[in-house]
Amino acid sequence: VQLVESGGGSVQAGGSLRLPCAAPTGYTSSRHCMGWYRQAPGKGREDVAVIITGGGTTDYADSVKGRFTISVDDAKDPVYLQMNSLKHEDTAMYYCGTYTGPFTRCRYDYYNVWGRGTQVAVSS
């Protein structure tokens, strides 16, 4: 399994970005733990959003609830992270990850595959 993120960039506070995470065709049609996490300079990794593919269950960090949405519409489509009302503190490298085996919990420290990341910079 290979994941490829894109869509990062620079945006002013209050703006929006959409980050696609491309996975192998058909991967998201079955039940997998997938999600986005981020790491800001000098800080630890932080779960942003997770999705259980094949069912659509989602969960979000409190810091992004109501502003970010993780989704996948079709097995051929990427997993998207729609980020609205961006804040300066959202500035970070964003990574897409997944756990390819059976799971009972879904969070970034369970992922065994992740992409190279995409940089998001929000100016205040």
Side-chain angles (χ1 to χ4, degrees), residues 26-101:
Y27 184 76
T28 56
S29 65
S30 54
R31 186 175 184 270
H32 291 290
C33 160
M34 291 190 73
W36 287 90
Y37 63 98
R38 65 188 179 187
Q39 187 165 21
K43 296 187 178 181
R45 294 179 181 179
E46 177 190 14
D47 249 340
V48 174
V50 298
I51 186 167
I52 309 302
T53 61
T57 303
T58 59
D59 198 12
Y60 299 91
D62 288 342
S63 58
V64 307
K65 279 181 181 177
R67 299 189 298 122
F68 289 12
T69 303
I70 188 170
S71 65
V72 58
D73 294 330
D74 186 272
K76 297 180 181 179
D77 290 342
V79 173
Y80 290 105
L81 183 68
Q82 177 67 44
M83 306 188 295
N84 299 328
S85 302
L86 282 161
K87 304 176 181 180
H88 178 66
E89 49 265 42
D90 294 319
T91 295
M93 184 71 81
Y94 283 72
Y95 299 88
C96 179
T98 186
Y99 184 69
T100 56

